Amino acid sequence: MNQLQQLIASFPLIEDLISLKETLWFNPKLSAYQTGIELAPLSRADVIDAEDRLNRFASYIANVYPETKEAGGIIESPLVTIPKMKQKLEKDYSQPIFGELLLKCDSHLPISGSIKARGGIYEVLKHAEQLAIEKGLLTTDDDYSILANEKFRTFFSNYSIAVGSTGNLGLSIGIMSAKLGFQVTVHMSRDAKQWKKDLLRSKNVKVVEYEADFSKAVEEGRRQAEKDPTCHFVDDENSTDLFLGYAVAASRLKKQLDGLNITVDEEHPLFVYLPCGVGGGPGGVAFGLKLAFGDHVHCFFAEPTHSPAMMLGMMTELHDEISVQDIGLDNQTAADGLAVGRPSGFVGKVMEPFLSGCFTVRDERMYNLLKDLADTEEILLEPSALAGMTGPTKLFQEGKSYLENYNLTGKMENATHIVWATGGSMVPEDVMASYYAEGKKLDQ
Ligand SMILES: *Cc1c(COP(=O)(O)O)cnc(C)c1O
């Protein structure tokens, strides 16, 4: 038997991945929260530290991004119910969704219009703070709105920031770094959309394009950044700062749920469905959710059938030592934010005791759901952001034993399902119209 045949013998689900079948995998290593948190290399204190840092920056953010003024410079997104979409899903899949269905609209986060406005912006701010404090220009007691002064922009222009991206991380890092005054280079994979490159160039961001996928863009970016001691490389595959920036979402979500009078406890379970690329975004959010809700939250990652990197890495426990190309997949997907062939090793290992499972979704279905959400709720998302939308349906259709094992079967009427909508508000109108048209084709 060759290596691949051996893997398939141990993990028969890989055969479904190879045949591009939509697949649902439950994590056999899911543990009690208390066990998991003791294994984690990061703690609640780390997430609180990140939240405090974002609070320190709030006056600066409100100053330079007036659209965040009303929220006091806190970059946050709405949490909304989507009852008409729920009806549509129940009808189309002939499957009731017990409990409430909500959408977390990171698609509408200010500044960069995707989940990357959490981790990406956080890492740039943290780096800026560290430089300014080291040089004695800033203390944590200052009002950070002073960072908008020309003096700071001149200071930061002596430093550079680089990142490798399929698009959205590049947008976040590029926009925020350029605003502070840094020189910034974004290494874009072939999946990156033209409008994202154009937008960045209009903001004086240097964009380097590759004919290869995400892993290659990151590798090249890392290599070039290493040569320059004044360059900070934002490492999407390994960064704990990105991860912590994402994790802050959970305590804010908790407040939003309180505001909607939604309880999460033993009798009221919470299910969250997160689109996954390299893993930092969904991993960070899920880690924060576990800190906030412990065993009462159940987190699932969603990936395209052509790029099930995290499912493959976690299932085989090979993490970043295996890629979807190793099982013959092409990593070609319309869900550009999820076009990642090799997962973050760091995130997969952290998630081992916390993640409930992963599932895959065909590109055609993401387009079709994009159209359905636009028709029913008038919310426009990019294809990647729809990956989680079939999660509740799949859970009820294929997750009976999971619900039984965790004593959830009788509680589902009280459940809350949150589909994490990770991007879309910055997509130009003509590009969105073509997505919608693509989704409509599939109705016939
Ligand atoms: C980046 C991204 C994700 C996934 O985040 P990762 O950190 O790569 O796992 C999901 N959706 C969209 C729209 C994204 O841009």
Side-chain angles (χ1 to χ4, degrees), residues 114-116 168 236 246 275-282 337-338 382 384-385 422-423:
S114 82
I115 188 171
K116 306 299 192 309
N168 285 339
D236 201 8
Y246 293 119
C276 180
V278 71
L338 314 180
E382 61 184 277
S384 298
T422 43

Side-chain angles (χ1 to χ4, degrees), residues 75-81 102-110 118 252-253 256 260 379 418-421:
I75 303 164
E76 200 38 73
S77 74
L79 175 68
V80 300
T81 60
L102 292 104
L103 192 71
K104 179 60 175 164
C105 303
D106 275 10
S107 46
H108 292 71
L109 278 172
R118 298 185 185 278
R252 299 188 186 160
L253 181 84
Q256 290 181 315
L260 294 169
I379 299 172
I418 298 180
V419 173
W420 213 277

Side-chain angles (χ1 to χ4, degrees), residues 4-283:
L4 180 56
Q5 285 164 336
Q6 269 171 17
L7 266 182
I8 295 173
S10 311
F11 308 101
L13 223 51
I14 292 178
E15 212 144 32
D16 289 346
L17 294 182
I18 292 172
S19 60
L20 298 172
K21 210 178 128 190
E22 291 192 342
T23 306
L24 171 60
W25 169 77
F26 289 100
N27 176 16
K29 296 186 96 180
L30 173 63
S31 309
Y33 166 71
Q34 206 47 50
T35 315
I37 202 67
E38 280 161 21
L39 296 171
L42 296 163
S43 68
R44 184 182 303 275
D46 295 317
V47 181
I48 292 172
D49 176 60
E51 189 162 11
D52 290 347
R53 183 165 292 107
L54 288 169
N55 290 338
R56 287 200 289 280
F57 272 97
S59 65
Y60 168 72
I61 295 290
N63 181 339
V64 295
Y65 295 109
E67 69 269 31
T68 66
K69 215 162 226 153
E70 219 184 285
I74 295 297
I75 303 164
E76 200 38 73
S77 74
L79 175 68
V80 300
T81 60
I82 44 171
K84 292 189 204 121
M85 184 65 183
K86 185 180 176 205
Q87 270 182 7
K88 173 83 179 149
L89 289 166
E90 291 180 324
K91 182 168 155 281
D92 287 357
Y93 293 93
S94 308
Q95 171 62 55
I97 296 171
F98 301 101
E100 180 118 57
L101 182 63
L102 292 104
L103 192 71
K104 179 60 175 164
C105 303
D106 275 10
S107 46
H108 292 71
L109 278 172
I111 305 176
S112 69
S114 82
I115 188 171
K116 306 299 192 309
R118 298 185 185 278
I121 288 178
Y122 173 72
E123 177 152 347
V124 173
L125 296 178
K126 182 174 178 203
H127 182 60
E129 182 186 59
Q130 202 171 345
L131 287 174
I133 289 177
E134 265 169 27
K135 292 285 174 313
L137 300 172
L138 183 75
T139 75
T140 51
D141 294 328
D142 286 334
D143 176 346
Y144 279 25
S145 60
I146 57 171
L147 291 167
N149 296 348
E150 209 40 52
K151 174 181 114 181
F152 280 98
R153 288 187 47 82
T154 308
F155 169 65
F156 290 130
S157 72
N158 297 311
Y159 298 89
S160 61
I161 291 183
V163 66
S165 171
T166 62
N168 285 339
L169 185 62
L171 276 188
S172 271
I173 301 290
I175 292 171
M176 193 66 245
S177 304
K179 182 64 93 180
L180 280 156
F182 286 105
Q183 297 174 52
V184 51
T185 305
V186 176
H187 300 266
M188 288 283 204
S189 65
R190 62 158 181 249
D191 322 274
K193 298 281 180 265
Q194 190 59 43
W195 67 267
K196 293 180 184 173
K197 299 176 197 167
D198 295 342
L199 182 85
L200 284 173
R201 288 188 173 122
S202 79
K203 295 186 186 288
N204 276 327
V205 173
K206 187 174 166 205
V207 178
V208 185
E209 300 178 56
Y210 296 88
E211 259 319 304
D213 80 354
F214 171 80
S215 306
K216 182 75 186 163
V218 170
E219 187 189 317
E220 272 302 307
R222 190 186 284 126
R223 206 172 53 78
Q224 292 185 22
E226 270 166 7
K227 290 190 242 159
D228 177 0
T230 66
C231 182
H232 175 74
F233 180 68
V234 177
D235 189 340
D236 201 8
E237 293 177 325
N238 298 297
S239 167
T240 50
D241 286 335
L242 281 176
F243 188 85
L244 291 169
Y246 293 119
V248 171
S251 61
R252 299 188 186 160
L253 181 84
K254 194 166 196 237
K255 288 192 198 109
Q256 290 181 315
L257 286 168
D258 288 344
L260 294 169
N261 283 321
I262 294 175
T263 307
V264 179
D265 62 16
E266 178 87 45
E267 296 305 315
H268 302 78
L270 174 63
F271 295 81
V272 184
Y273 310 91
L274 297 139
C276 180
V278 71

